[in-house]
Amino acid sequence: MAEDPASGGYVYKPHERPIMPGSPANPDHPVPRKIGYFLIGVYLAIVAGFQNGLLLANLNVLQGHLDLTPVETGWVTATYSMTNACMSILLFKARQEFGIQRFVRATMVVLLLANFLQLFDAGYRLELVARGVSGIAASGLSTLAAFYLMQGMPAKARIGGLLLAIGLSQVALPLARAISPLLLADGDVTNLFILQFALSLLAFGLVNILHLPQGETVRSFGKLDLVTFPLLAVGVGLLCAFFVQGRIVWWSTPWLGGTLAMAILLIGVAFLIEHNRANPMLHTRWMSSSDLLKFAFTGASVRVLLSEQNFGASGLLAAVGMGNDQLVTYYAILAAATLAGAMLAVARLNPLDLRRPVLVSLAVITVAALADTHSGLLTRPGNLYLSQAALAFAAVYFMGPMLMEGFVRALAKGPSHVVSFLAVFNLSQTLGGLAGTAALSAFHTVQTKDHLITFASKLTTSDPGVAQAINALANGLGGTMTDPALRSGVAGATVMQEAVREATILAYNDVFFVIGSLAALAFVIMFARWLYDRRRGVNPLAKELEALQKMLARNQ
């Protein structure tokens, strides 16, 4: 048998060849090697999620450690999203141009660099650099995890490796919150940086012990890509900054308007260039088709609805005085529910009915969000176990079918359309999540003020109940304060603080109600469309699946 240099001396059988340039081949591995690939894929997916999960879980600790203002802390979180949002586009083309092995080496070097920089604990500016590099590393690591998982799964279930990689990276977010109190038991934040660097060193060793099979390369980059990609990346980065900082400095801040205008201009120019290219990086005509617009809108909408967990439930628990040490069990339950969602999404994946899981997720979000509308000052993590576990499940369960639908539509058009799909999917998820948190934060702020105004009209000393409460508190301070006027003033301030807490919690209940109502509306609309297609016997992806089967048959 003649040797094939591109495959390390092994000639691939027709069914083993990569489905597209830039992806590894899929040879028939022996069982022990399959298990090795699978376990390494699981590890890489968790490490990819930890790149952002450990930061979000310990943002307040890091803020105090580096003595950051809220705006500076916002830039730390925004920097990760700014570099992560568009990197899948660049990395996909880089794999096609330079091959999978160079991609692996580059990803590992960037991962080590990101976590090595944080070991120096050199302050705010270096932290910004490290977070930006982490965003790049996480994007590459997620792709590597998918490739390794796909190598470890049976041929018929190989697409499940991609979905499992996405799900496992989501498991890492609550898992990071669950283990963080243990890491910070001695109050030293550098433990987080040491852990991340150790994890990246182990990942580096694992991918060098068991290499991915070689793939095929093609000429991928064009000269105009050097213009389009920076324009798109900077524009999307400015959008991320707009959504993150808007909720911190408030939306009326003048420079936010300039940031949004510049983002729209840069993204518009990038799309205009791509629209008129003979061989575009982004197929704007396909991206603007009704099917892709509906796909992007659905994905972004569900991500907005799921912001209820990251903003609503976390904020509510903080408002009632719960710290990370008291939430270990809570986040462990969320991690388990997320894992269950990822595994069920793979097990129940049906290309002929990809809308059903989205409907299930919307129904779960509706019930869970409305169940949380009865929260109060006595709400504790145990009261939210069931509802928030359901939301964590839905957050991953919907993503697999969405991803599958997008890939089917893209591959049916040809491998060159995958870049466009990645742009649509990643931007809908990243910007949808940031926009959802920003919108809910603004709504919560407005509702808190409304509830406070209502309370202020009732909290007067002429009200016998209020006067009695203030007097009781003032009398309780008699042992430490002798001045009656000072005792009354402190008691009045305490009553006002409790009013603020109550208003804050009521505003979170309003957030839960809005999320539940919107999810219910989305469910009704999508269910009506799904039922209509079922009665007509129409599969929205029938043409794409047929075209994809023909393409695969030609390749073999």
Side-chain angles (χ1 to χ4, degrees):
M1 182 178 291
E3 291 190 353
D4 182 359
S7 60
Y10 176 79
V11 178
Y12 297 125
K13 303 179 184 69
H15 70 278
E16 296 177 329
R17 299 191 68 83
I19 192 173
M20 69 181 75
S23 300
N26 299 289
D28 298 323
H29 300 293
V31 173
R33 190 184 301 162
K34 276 182 172 291
I35 294 174
Y37 276 121
F38 185 84
L39 293 178
I40 292 175
V42 169
Y43 179 78
L44 293 179
I46 296 295
V47 174
F50 272 161
Q51 293 303 299
N52 197 37
L54 285 173
L55 169 74
L56 295 178
N58 301 281
L59 197 57
N60 291 335
V61 177
L62 184 67
Q63 181 177 357
H65 178 72
L66 296 178
D67 194 23
L68 304 180
T69 65
V71 172
E72 289 172 334
T73 305
W75 283 119
V76 171
T77 59
T79 301
Y80 177 91
S81 299
M82 291 165 72
T83 56
N84 182 260
C86 290
M87 281 310 299
S88 58
I89 301 172
L90 184 63
L91 294 178
F92 180 85
K93 294 181 76 69
R95 293 200 312 272
Q96 290 188 318
E97 181 88 16
F98 303 112
I100 190 67
Q101 293 305 327
R102 289 183 180 179
F103 168 74
V104 171
R105 288 193 292 270
T107 298
M108 289 296 106
V109 168
V110 172
L111 176 67
L112 286 172
L113 176 62
N115 294 319
F116 181 69
L117 287 175
Q118 288 190 308
L119 288 177
F120 290 98
D121 193 18
Y124 172 58
R125 292 183 180 179
L126 187 61
E127 182 64 25
L128 285 179
V129 174
R131 296 314 305 162
V133 179
S134 291
I136 299 172
S139 182
L141 208 56
S142 297
T143 304
L144 272 184
F147 286 154
Y148 270 88
L149 286 168
M150 292 171 75
Q151 294 293 322
M153 299 186 76
K156 293 183 179 179
R158 194 161 284 150
I159 190 64
L162 174 63
L163 308 184
L164 192 58
I166 299 295
L168 289 173
S169 65
Q170 297 298 309
V171 172
L173 300 178
L175 185 60
R177 292 184 181 272
I179 67 172
S180 289
L182 178 63
L183 294 172
L184 298 176
D186 60 356
D188 188 359
V189 73
T190 57
N191 291 335
L192 298 174
F193 305 146
I194 294 172
L195 174 64
Q196 282 195 304
F197 186 63
L199 292 174
S200 63
L201 279 176
L202 182 56
F204 182 82
L206 290 174
V207 299
N208 280 284
I209 290 173
L210 188 57
H211 294 276
L212 285 172
Q214 287 282 7
E216 299 173 349
T217 59
V218 294
R219 187 172 180 81
S220 177
F221 285 106
K223 292 181 180 179
L224 280 178
D225 292 344
L226 299 176
V227 177
T228 302
F229 181 78
L231 288 173
L232 181 65
V234 174
V236 171
L238 290 174
L239 270 183
C240 293
F242 171 79
F243 287 127
V244 171
Q245 292 291 2
R247 57 183 292 213
I248 298 174
V249 302
W250 200 242
W251 306 100
S252 57
T253 304
W255 66 265
L256 283 176
T259 300
L260 180 60
M262 183 59 67
I264 294 173
L265 176 63
L266 292 175
I267 295 173
V269 171
F271 278 16
L272 183 62
I273 294 173
E274 291 298 297
H275 193 74
N276 293 286
R277 287 179 66 178
N279 296 304
M281 178 176 68
L282 300 175
H283 294 267
T284 54
R285 290 175 177 82
W286 181 64
M287 292 170 68
S288 60
S289 64
S290 60
D291 288 335
L292 258 291
L293 290 177
K294 291 176 184 176
F295 169 83
F297 180 75
T298 302
S301 298
V302 177
R303 183 53 58 193
V304 168
L305 296 175
L306 289 168
S307 299
E308 190 262 303
Q309 185 162 74
N310 295 329
F311 171 77
S314 298
L316 172 66
L317 292 172
V320 298
M322 296 291 104
N324 285 344
D325 292 344
Q326 298 161 295
L327 298 175
V328 173
T329 302
Y330 170 77
Y331 283 116
I333 290 174
L334 296 195
T338 304
L339 179 61
M343 295 178 67
L344 189 62
V346 174
R348 299 288 296 172
L349 184 66
N350 180 8
L352 299 178
D353 191 5
L354 294 174
R355 299 293 169 84
R356 188 194 298 265
V358 180
L359 286 171
V360 171
S361 296
L362 287 172
V364 169
I365 294 170
T366 300
V367 175
L370 293 178
D372 289 341
T373 56
H374 303 293
S375 301
L377 285 170
L378 298 180
T379 296
R380 295 297 179 264
N383 303 118
L384 303 179
Y385 283 166
L386 183 59
S387 62
Q388 293 304 307
L391 278 172
F393 171 87
V396 179
Y397 189 59
F398 96 95
M399 195 176 295
M402 288 291 299
L403 195 63
M404 180 69 174
E405 178 181 343
F407 263 112
V408 168
R409 291 189 184 279
L411 289 174
K413 289 288 184 179
S416 64
H417 285 66
V418 172
V419 173
S420 302
F421 158 68
L422 291 174
V424 171
F425 182 77
N426 285 339
L427 293 181
S428 69
Q429 294 301 294
T430 300
L431 296 180
L434 292 176
T437 301
L440 292 181
S441 175
F443 177 75
H444 178 265
T445 300
V446 172
Q447 291 301 107
T448 301
K449 291 180 179 178
D450 285 345
H451 288 302
L452 274 176
I453 291 172
T454 302
F455 288 158
S457 64
K458 299 177 181 179
L459 290 177
T460 62
T461 54
S462 59
D463 186 315
V466 175
Q468 185 178 1
I470 293 176
N471 288 332
L473 289 170
N475 292 334
L477 296 172
T480 56
M481 298 180 185
T482 58
D483 187 342
L486 181 59
R487 289 201 305 267
S488 297
V490 172
T494 302
V495 170
M496 194 61 197
Q497 288 175 356
E498 289 302 309
V500 170
R501 288 183 65 196
E502 184 68 30
T504 300
I505 293 171
L506 289 176
Y508 278 120
N509 286 339
D510 294 338
V511 168
F512 299 148
F513 179 77
V514 167
I515 289 294
S517 300
L518 291 176
L521 178 61
F523 174 83
V524 170
I525 294 173
M526 183 168 283
F527 180 75
R529 181 62 185 176
W530 176 80
L531 197 61
Y532 178 72
D533 288 339
R534 293 271 294 183
R535 288 180 174 176
R536 293 172 57 213
V538 174
N539 180 6
L541 287 177
K543 293 182 179 179
E544 287 80 1
L545 287 170
E546 184 180 354
L548 183 58
Q549 289 175 350
K550 291 180 179 179
M551 184 188 75
L552 293 175
R554 287 196 302 268
N555 289 343
Q556 294 183 4

